């Protein structure tokens, strides 16, 4: 089985955020991720990680004005300085939390603009962010997100993301491959794992059931088979990353974790 990280923005929401670390550790998770750490002091988060033997493996850069609908700054004209500030803040937290990677949120395509028009700006911003992250010894990720959950998001497909990574040419820039988003937009998920994981350009996986974004044992994807595929390809290419559990439990988080304990789909 792959190594799973609990997404504390979506799991254990029956508990206050800082209590979710203990709950994840008690359920056998060795790593955590979440959307944003910025409402808490780095020292408080680091203490929770240390006290419960957890590794922080991922979080997002500040997204801009979330309440106003912003979902990242990397593709937005005129927001270059704000994007660099967001990356710098995220890297400060990554240093304090010993987190190896951060997700650079792309943002929404502004009204009246096209993705083709914004692509050079996006690539330039990613190149600068990768340079900043390299100096801090960190990896940066970009994530294709489906347009049903976030209409207008700049990046939607795996092939687009990998083409961007190749265009930027930074060794510490990789793709965050969320199988939930991939299934909604493209499908053929197992073959895409086989296609992209050996390239070295996949830095992290995330999972959720499709279409409801609940536990991965509910819905149209057969995750035990996909976990076997990840294990098989990872063994062949040496990938040693994490699979983030970024789903909304249909009931209590602990009660819904049976899928994680059932083992591989093959004898």
């Amino acid at each position: 089985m792959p190594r799973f990280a609990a997404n504390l923005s979506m799991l254990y929401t029956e508990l206050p955020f800082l209590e979710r670390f203990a709950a994840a550790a008690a359920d056998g998770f060795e790593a955590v991720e979440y959307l944003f750490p910025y409402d808490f002091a780095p020292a408080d988060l680091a203490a929770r990680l240390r006290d419960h033997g957890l590794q922080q493996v991922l979080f997002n850069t500040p997204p801009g004005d979330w309440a106003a609908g912003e979902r990242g700054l990397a593709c937005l004209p005129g927001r270059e300085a704000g994007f660099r500030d967001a990356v710098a803040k995220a890297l400060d937290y990554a240093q304090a939390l010993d987190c190896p990677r951060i997700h650079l949120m792309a943002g929404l395509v502004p009204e009246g603009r096209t993705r083709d028009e914004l692509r050079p700006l996006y690539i330039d911003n990613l190149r600068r962010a990768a340079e900043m992250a390299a100096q801090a010894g960190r990896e940066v990720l970009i994530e294709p997100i489906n347009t049903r959950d976030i209409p207008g998001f700049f990046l939607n497909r795996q092939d687009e993301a990998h083409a961007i990574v190749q265009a930027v040419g930074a060794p510490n820039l990789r793709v965050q491959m969320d199988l939930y988003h991939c299934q909604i937009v493209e499908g053929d998920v197992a073959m895409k794992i086989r296609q992209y994981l050996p390239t070295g350009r996949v830095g992290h996986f995330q999972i959720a059931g499709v279409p409801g974004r609940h536990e991965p044992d509910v819905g149209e994807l057969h995750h035990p088979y996909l976990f076997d595929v990840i294990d098989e390809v990872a063994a062949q290419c040496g990938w040693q990353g994490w699979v983030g559990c970024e789903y909304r439990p249909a009931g209590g988080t602990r009660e819904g974790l049976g899928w994680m304990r059932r083992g591989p789909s093959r004898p």
Side-chain angles (χ1 to χ4, degrees), residues 30-49:
E30 297 180 355
V32 296
E33 61 177 42
Y34 36 71
L35 296 183
F36 310 111
Y38 310 109
D39 287 339
F40 303 92
D44 291 340
L45 297 172
R48 297 308 192 281
L49 295 168

Side-chain angles (χ1 to χ4, degrees), residues 40-104:
F40 303 92
D44 291 340
L45 297 172
R48 297 308 192 281
L49 295 168
R50 182 177 61 252
D51 291 348
H52 301 294
L54 293 166
Q55 181 179 349
Q56 182 76 47
V57 296
L58 179 70
F59 58 84
N60 298 337
T61 51
D65 190 341
W66 185 271
E70 290 189 327
R71 295 295 182 265
L73 304 175
C75 79
L76 299 186
R79 303 293 292 278
E80 293 87 346
F83 174 72
R84 290 193 297 272
D85 289 345
V87 173
K89 184 173 185 178
L91 289 173
D92 286 344
Y93 270 80
Q95 176 72 23
L97 303 179
D98 194 24
C99 182
R101 62 190 63 81
I102 58 175
H103 168 215
L104 305 171

Side-chain angles (χ1 to χ4, degrees), residues 92-131:
D92 286 344
Y93 270 80
Q95 176 72 23
L97 303 179
D98 194 24
C99 182
R101 62 190 63 81
I102 58 175
H103 168 215
L104 305 171
M105 297 192 71
L108 308 181
V109 176
E111 187 175 355
R113 305 298 295 267
T114 69
R115 287 175 173 81
D116 287 343
E117 291 172 347
L118 298 174
R119 192 174 189 271
L121 170 65
Y122 183 57
I123 289 173
D124 186 58
N125 277 337
L126 294 181
R127 187 171 288 123
R128 292 174 182 272
E131 291 171 356

Side-chain angles (χ1 to χ4, degrees), residues 31-258:
V32 296
E33 61 177 42
Y34 36 71
L35 296 183
F36 310 111
Y38 310 109
D39 287 339
F40 303 92
D44 291 340
L45 297 172
R48 297 308 192 281
L49 295 168
R50 182 177 61 252
D51 291 348
H52 301 294
L54 293 166
Q55 181 179 349
Q56 182 76 47
V57 296
L58 179 70
F59 58 84
N60 298 337
T61 51
D65 190 341
W66 185 271
E70 290 189 327
R71 295 295 182 265
L73 304 175
C75 79
L76 299 186
R79 303 293 292 278
E80 293 87 346
F83 174 72
R84 290 193 297 272
D85 289 345
V87 173
K89 184 173 185 178
L91 289 173
D92 286 344
Y93 270 80
Q95 176 72 23
L97 303 179
D98 194 24
C99 182
R101 62 190 63 81
I102 58 175
H103 168 215
L104 305 171
M105 297 192 71
L108 308 181
V109 176
E111 187 175 355
R113 305 298 295 267
T114 69
R115 287 175 173 81
D116 287 343
E117 291 172 347
L118 298 174
R119 192 174 189 271
L121 170 65
Y122 183 57
I123 289 173
D124 186 58
N125 277 337
L126 294 181
R127 187 171 288 123
R128 292 174 182 272
E131 291 171 356
M132 295 169 65
Q135 292 173 5
R138 309 292 162 185
E139 184 176 280
V140 284
L141 307 179
I142 58 174
E143 180 185 18
I145 294 178
N146 79 78
T147 55
R148 184 168 71 206
D149 283 12
I150 305 184
F153 197 74
F154 178 83
L155 194 63
N156 310 129
R157 296 178 54 88
Q158 301 302 312
D159 54 359
E160 295 170 348
H162 282 267
I164 291 287
V165 167
Q166 290 177 291
V168 172
N172 64 328
L173 175 65
R174 292 184 171 85
V175 176
Q176 183 172 319
M177 188 176 186
D178 189 314
L179 304 186
Y180 165 80
H181 295 304
C182 183
Q183 169 67 5
I184 291 172
V185 176
E186 306 172 61
D188 203 21
V189 174
M191 292 307 296
K192 287 183 171 57
I193 295 170
R194 294 186 182 280
Q195 176 182 356
Y196 291 119
L197 190 55
T199 67
R201 296 192 298 269
V202 176
H204 189 74
F205 284 101
Q206 289 177 323
I207 57 170
V210 181
R213 207 168 191 174
H214 298 309
E215 283 81 355
D217 58 350
V218 177
E220 63 195 48
L221 284 177
H222 185 52
H223 278 88
Y225 171 74
L226 296 176
F227 297 154
D228 285 348
V229 173
I230 291 173
D231 283 345
E232 176 192 339
V233 181
Q236 294 169 354
C237 68
W239 186 82
Q240 297 181 334
W242 294 87
V243 175
C245 302
E246 193 183 43
Y247 64 84
R248 302 183 186 94
T253 301
R254 179 165 294 171
E255 292 76 12
L257 288 175

